[in-house]
Amino acid sequence: MAQDLFANTDLPPEFKAIIGVFALYNQIECELDNVNISPPLTKMEKRVLVFLDKPKRMGVLAEDTLCVPSAVTPVADALEVRGIVSRTRDPSDRRAWLLELTPEGVAARNHIMTEVVSRFRKFSGMSADEIPTFANLAIKAMPGAVEAGLMED
Amino acid sequence: MAQDLFANTDLPPEFKAIIGVFALYNQIECELDNVNISPPLTKMEKRVLVFLDKPKRMGVLAEDTLCVPSAVTPVADALEVRGIVSRTRDPSDRRAWLLELTPEGVAARNHIMTEVVSRFRKFSGMSADEIPTFANLAIKAMPGAVEAGLMED
DNA sequence: ATGGATGTTTCACTCAGTGAAGTAATTGGG
DNA sequence: CCCAATTACTTCACTGAGTGAAACATCCAT
């Protein structure tokens, strides 16, 4: 398949890149599926956890995770009930909610991140030198809509 | 956001890579959303088209597109009704179906591929030199489950 | 010949995600 | 100061993408 596809030297590198991204994305998703805490978190919950490296508004998490705000609401609800996040009004704007990890949340996030990061090293097939190269190229593509999250400060 | 995240020098490059893949994947999906023929194809239909560079079994397309075989059946049905693919029994195994592009399908695929490939050059932020580098690193991660598709011959 | 495996199909189901409408709070211009 | 427009989130109905289980037809090795 893949290498069958890639044996065709007419294929543009862009196509190879696209297929590679598809495959990598799927692998990351699979690994995230395999890493969990008990009771299990949904895909969405884990994804929000990954991006919650510091207290953030729900709207920002929606941008980070590339979905609409209404998708974050039930995730925040669930994580709050689970005691993984605390949810407080943003003092600088009372329309907005800040989500922040509880100590339990910190532990959960650490577990997930540690696992996924170490598994990335394994499944990516990249050497220790190649990963930063790849990473730097990948984030060049960060779309403006996500970078707009920078405007929150 | 992203750069806010990445300003944290403690973050492993693997994390940057993962976030980059998420963002790239989302961009590719958005671009695929924006590229279509009339009447529009679904995401699944377009994805199958992308991988249908030559006649293939439906099971192989399921592997290529990283989903289960039952997901390919309605896609094949729709594409066949649309006259985009022809569906014939694989002569070497009468359990299996081969999907092959019709002339109309070839045109549709060319349109989509040309558009997405050229858009990749724009949204990726990578130079012409960087794309092959990135591509070669990305496909290093091709998981064994997909490579197993090589066994079809 | 036969049991186990394979390729696809059907169908019921789940979940991730959207869009539209609503409420509350904020902002900026007159 | 006032108010219209905007923003942040919530609710809820809905859809599409995807799964798993069971079934059927075909293949393959013993």
Side-chain angles (χ1 to χ4, degrees):
Chain A
M1 175 312 264
Q3 291 177 20
D4 206 14
L5 267 179
F6 297 149
N8 178 350
T9 53
D10 280 353
L11 288 181
E14 291 86 359
F15 179 73
K16 285 172 68 174
I18 286 166
I19 299 305
V21 168
F22 274 24
L24 264 174
Y25 180 85
N26 188 260
Q27 273 282 61
I28 293 167
E29 289 283 307
C30 286
E31 295 296 338
L32 276 168
D33 275 354
N34 292 335
V35 178
N36 223 328
I37 63 173
S38 184
L41 300 168
T42 65
K43 170 183 161 185
M44 295 294 294
E45 287 162 5
K46 276 186 278 189
R47 185 172 286 192
V48 165
L49 260 201
V50 165
F51 283 94
L52 196 53
D53 64 313
K54 60 172 185 170
K56 287 186 181 176
R57 289 184 179 185
M58 286 167 64
V60 171
L61 287 166
E63 285 172 16
D64 287 353
T65 54
L66 306 168
C67 65
V68 296
S70 59
V72 174
T73 305
V75 174
D77 291 342
L79 292 177
E80 188 181 16
V81 164
R82 285 277 297 269
I84 291 175
V85 304
S86 65
R87 194 196 249 177
T88 51
R89 282 291 181 191
D90 184 339
S92 59
D93 185 339
R94 301 216 314 277
R95 298 171 299 187
W97 291 96
L98 288 182
L99 293 194
E100 178 171 11
L101 292 175
T102 62
E104 181 182 354
V106 170
R109 185 173 181 273
N110 282 343
H111 170 63
I112 291 167
M113 293 300 296
T114 304
E115 281 295 315
V116 173
V117 163
S118 74
R119 290 175 189 217
F120 185 88
R121 285 187 211 119
K122 294 197 183 84
F123 73 69
S124 67
M126 300 181 206
S127 68
D129 289 344
E130 285 171 333
I131 292 179
T133 302
F134 175 83
N136 288 325
L137 291 175
I139 63 173
K140 279 174 84 86
M142 285 300 212
V146 178
E147 288 170 10
L150 292 173
M151 299 177 192
E152 84 173 291
D153 295 320
Chain B
M1 172 324 255
Q3 291 178 21
D4 206 14
L5 266 179
F6 296 148
N8 179 351
T9 53
D10 282 352
L11 287 182
E14 291 86 356
F15 180 72
K16 287 172 69 173
I18 287 167
I19 300 304
V21 168
F22 274 24
L24 264 174
Y25 180 85
N26 188 260
Q27 273 282 64
I28 293 166
E29 290 283 305
C30 287
E31 295 297 338
L32 275 168
D33 276 351
N34 292 336
V35 178
N36 223 328
I37 64 174
S38 184
L41 299 169
T42 65
K43 170 184 163 185
M44 295 295 293
E45 287 161 5
K46 277 186 277 188
R47 184 174 286 191
V48 164
L49 259 201
V50 165
F51 282 94
L52 195 53
D53 64 314
K54 60 171 187 170
K56 286 185 184 177
R57 288 183 181 185
M58 286 167 63
V60 171
L61 287 167
E63 286 173 16
D64 287 352
T65 54
L66 308 168
C67 64
V68 295
S70 58
V72 173
T73 306
V75 174
D77 290 342
L79 292 177
E80 187 180 17
V81 164
R82 286 275 299 270
I84 292 177
V85 303
S86 64
R87 192 197 254 176
T88 51
R89 282 290 180 191
D90 185 338
S92 59
D93 183 340
R94 299 220 311 281
R95 298 171 299 186
W97 291 95
L98 289 181
L99 294 194
E100 177 170 10
L101 291 175
T102 62
E104 182 184 351
V106 170
R109 185 172 183 274
N110 282 343
H111 170 64
I112 291 167
M113 293 298 298
T114 305
E115 280 293 318
V116 172
V117 163
S118 74
R119 292 176 186 215
F120 184 89
R121 284 187 213 119
K122 293 193 182 91
F123 73 71
S124 67
M126 299 182 207
S127 68
D129 289 344
E130 285 170 332
I131 293 179
T133 301
F134 176 82
N136 288 325
L137 292 174
I139 64 174
K140 277 172 85 87
M142 286 302 214
V146 178
E147 289 170 13
L150 293 173
M151 299 176 188
E152 84 173 294
D153 293 319

